[in-house]
Amino acid sequence: MTHAMLKGSNVPLDTAAVRAVLLWTPGPGVPDVDASALLLGRDGRVRSDEDFVFYNQPRHPSGSVRRLSKRQRGDAWTDSVEADLGALDPSVDQVVLAASSDGEPFGHVTDLRILLYDASDAEGEPIALFDVRAETGEETAVICGELYRRGDGWKFRAVGQGYPTGLVGLATAFGISVDESEESEAAADGQDGGAGAPGADGTGGGAPAANPSGGAGIPAPAAPAYGYPPVAEPAAPAYGYPQPTSPQPVSAQPVAAQPYGYGYPQPAAAAAPAPDPGFRLPPMGPQFLHDTQVH
């Protein structure tokens, strides 16, 4: 029997593994929809960034929650998340089931619904069905439902809470760390991590970048300036001689051995050659040019 859910209602689950399916009908102006899940502790927050299962990280390290491939069902498309509730760590108290839109807000998705199935019964009827309605029409991410512990078992609750800040805003609300600089760079390169057109299998990698310094929180040494060799430290003057008041020009010619012994005056430095009037700096890369100078 399928339970038709109202917002805020809940239903007990008699199965150890469930499959949550988002279903919608594509069309002109209708954005693509992506399913995701967040594993929360008793404090209502993720324990680490690994607890976020989405298109760039489609499988939890424990293997208990995973995002499946998108599929076509008649005129509609589906995106699904499967959760093995019996295999979840006891510290996981809740699994949030969310949807995010690719571009346009959910006001353009008129028939979004979430269906909950027994994952062990591929041909069975859904346990629960909830029609997800946009509250303002401006939401770009929405919590469709949640799986939560109740005593020794689990329940499913219909939620329908929207976020106008998209998947990033939803994720940070539950404690996910998002690097805004990386997010903006990826968007500028057209690599925002979205699954693209329906039918993408959502198996992109989502491993965090390694610390280039090789240690936690220790910055890597600064690289030398582009195109220039590192400058060597000047040697300290010999003992007993006065410190130079200004750096001396370095001659490209080898310096002959000094015939003078201790106590004799040192010879005067040769005059520097006149600058070459035909000298020009080497051409610089486009990163040194202003945008208006690039053609």
Side-chain angles (χ1 to χ4, degrees):
M1 175 182 175
T2 300
H3 295 269
M5 309 286 291
L6 298 176
K7 185 174 181 177
S9 61
N10 62 76
V11 61
L13 302 176
D14 297 327
T15 179
V18 295
R19 184 173 66 257
V21 179
L22 295 178
L23 184 143
W24 73 99
T25 303
V30 177
D32 190 26
V33 177
D34 294 299
S36 58
L38 296 109
L39 286 66
L40 310 182
R42 292 181 177 87
D43 60 353
R45 296 173 66 82
V46 296
R47 301 163 301 169
S48 74
D49 287 357
E50 292 180 336
D51 285 342
F52 187 24
V53 177
F54 67 120
Y55 42 70
N56 277 349
Q57 189 168 265
R59 185 181 182 89
H60 191 266
S62 68
S64 56
V65 179
R66 62 193 181 103
R67 181 177 181 264
L68 306 179
S69 300
K70 288 186 177 180
R71 298 181 182 276
Q72 188 172 6
R73 183 188 292 186
D75 293 333
W77 282 92
T78 67
D79 197 13
S80 309
V81 170
E82 197 166 88
D84 187 349
L85 304 176
L88 283 172
D89 189 272
S91 63
V92 177
D93 197 58
Q94 185 179 349
V95 179
V96 170
L97 304 170
S100 58
S101 64
D102 181 12
E104 298 296 326
F106 275 102
H108 296 267
V109 186
T110 58
D111 60 350
L112 179 66
R113 58 175 47 182
I114 182 170
L115 303 100
L116 196 69
Y117 291 86
D118 182 345
S120 64
D121 187 1
E123 303 299 327
E125 293 294 319
I127 300 170
L129 180 153
F130 174 50
D131 290 322
V132 183
R133 306 293 185 190
E135 295 177 325
T136 67
E138 299 302 319
E139 299 90 346
T140 48
V142 60
I143 299 176
C144 301
E146 60 187 15
L147 306 164
Y148 63 99
R149 292 186 189 270
R150 183 61 69 204
D152 295 331
W154 287 81
K155 285 188 171 185
F156 171 74
R157 178 185 292 119
V159 179
Q161 177 183 348
Y163 289 77
T165 50
L167 189 61
V168 171
L170 185 149
T172 53
F174 290 102
I176 295 293
S177 301
V178 177
D179 189 328
E180 295 182 358
S181 62
E182 291 180 1
E183 189 75 19
S184 60
E185 288 173 6
D189 294 337
Q191 301 172 349
D192 59 357
D201 60 8
T203 56
N211 187 339
S213 65
I218 303 175
Y226 175 82
Y228 291 89
V231 180
E233 292 292 335
Y239 175 80
Y241 286 88
Q243 303 297 321
T245 57
S246 61
Q248 300 298 318
V250 179
S251 173
Q253 302 297 325
V255 179
Q258 300 291 347
Y260 301 95
Y262 175 80
Y264 287 88
Q266 301 299 316
D276 182 3
F279 175 78
R280 296 291 184 272
L281 287 172
M284 296 183 289
Q287 66 269 34
F288 291 97
L289 301 176
H290 193 276
D291 292 343
T292 57
Q293 296 176 277
V294 179
H295 298 287

